[in-house]
Amino acid sequence: QQQVKQSPQSLIVQKGGISIINCAYENTAFDYFPWYQQFPGKGPALLIAIRPDVSEKKEGRFTISFNKSAKQFSLHIMDSQPGDSATYFCAASINSGGSNYKLTFGKGTLLTVNP
Amino acid sequence: ETGVTQSPTHLIKTRGQQVTLRCSSQSGHNTVSWYQQALGQGPQFIFQYYREEENGRGNFPPRFSGLQFPNYSSELNVNALELDDSALYLCASSLKGNEQYFGPGTRLTVT
């Protein structure tokens, strides 16, 4: 059972464009939703995260939109740059009630930003 | 403040052998989680250690085991290696309940 579904699998965007990656989750107990960026041969780097008490969070060019009723969240990268070319993972965890806070990841989106 | 470090970077083992991977957590963090990332996939949770005790385990067999030391560094041990164990092994450190920060990973190849 795949608890976090991520789409698209790959995405090609022109420099300066907007990149949008979507995720849907099944477990309503999830209460923490981070996005990670991973370059080839490196570990995932925490990009931005949101909790379900807000519908949007923005940090620089990166924005998370969260729809609790639809059980969906998305990452928007504004003014996409070639240096943003990487694999992006959404994840979810339960961060309350004595849980072990394990992250459940989507399968990833390979983003290519053309110059 | 140093980040999460892992050793070795790469490792080649033969099926049936045993391997130990090491992780040093970020300064001030008391929790270490281990993940397995197969090629082209998202990381899969193996287990977590909090203050030297196992604090949850994913869907991995008992031949995957771990330790956490008083300085919060950690080891992942895998016995009786199988070809499917070939993957990038990631550790992530955190203050329990907060953001997890990943190390660069150990690339394990089983032949």
Side-chain angles (χ1 to χ4, degrees):
Chain A
Q1 180 190 20
Q2 186 184 352
Q3 292 199 54
V4 179
K5 294 184 180 180
Q6 184 171 346
S7 63
Q9 189 173 358
S10 62
L11 180 62
I12 299 174
V13 173
Q14 292 299 118
K15 178 182 176 181
I18 302 173
S19 304
I20 302 174
I21 305 170
N22 301 299
C23 281
Y25 63 96
E26 298 172 3
N27 188 348
T28 55
F30 286 144
D31 58 5
Y32 174 69
F33 302 89
W35 285 89
Y36 284 85
Q37 178 190 58
Q38 187 175 30
F39 293 104
K42 304 292 184 182
L46 180 62
L47 205 54
I48 187 173
I50 198 168
R51 299 186 189 272
D53 51 344
V54 297
S55 59
E56 186 175 281
K57 183 176 181 180
K58 183 176 180 179
E59 290 184 1
R61 296 185 294 111
F62 300 93
T63 299
I64 299 179
S65 297
F66 185 82
N67 186 330
K68 188 174 181 178
S69 61
K71 295 189 288 185
Q72 294 175 348
F73 58 110
S74 60
L75 176 69
H76 295 230
I77 305 174
M78 312 300 287
D79 187 27
S80 298
Q81 299 295 313
D84 296 331
S85 297
T87 300
Y88 291 81
F89 292 95
C90 62
S93 67
I94 303 169
N95 276 25
S96 59
S99 168
N100 61 21
Y101 318 104
K102 72 170 186 178
L103 291 166
T104 300
F105 283 86
K107 291 191 173 184
T109 296
L110 178 60
L111 172 65
T112 303
V113 181
N114 288 328
Chain B
E1 180 181 285
T2 57
V4 180
T5 60
Q6 292 185 244
S7 63
T9 305
H10 297 92
L11 203 53
I12 300 175
K13 288 287 189 178
T14 303
R15 189 171 50 184
Q17 286 187 317
Q18 178 265 343
V19 69
T20 297
L21 311 181
R22 295 177 175 83
C23 171
S24 291
S25 59
Q26 188 167 316
S27 176
H29 286 181
N30 56 16
T31 303
V32 173
S33 304
W34 286 91
Y35 293 82
Q36 180 195 65
Q37 186 177 23
L39 206 59
Q41 300 294 317
Q44 297 288 315
F45 176 76
I46 302 175
F47 45 56
Q48 182 183 90
Y49 280 84
Y50 170 64
R51 293 186 175 179
E52 303 178 57
E53 297 287 332
E54 187 178 292
N55 183 45
R57 187 179 185 92
N59 189 26
F60 281 82
R63 58 189 185 84
F64 285 78
S65 63
L67 282 173
Q68 188 180 30
F69 300 100
N71 66 353
Y72 301 130
S73 65
S74 178
E75 286 183 354
L76 164 65
N77 299 289
V78 187
N79 293 322
L81 283 167
E82 301 177 0
L83 296 178
D84 284 349
D85 295 334
S86 295
L88 181 68
Y89 288 85
L90 298 161
C91 78
S93 78
S94 61
L95 269 177
K96 191 177 184 186
N98 290 289
E99 295 86 357
Q100 294 187 31
Y101 295 91
F102 285 84
T106 293
R107 171 71 62 187
L108 172 64
T109 303
V110 182
T111 62

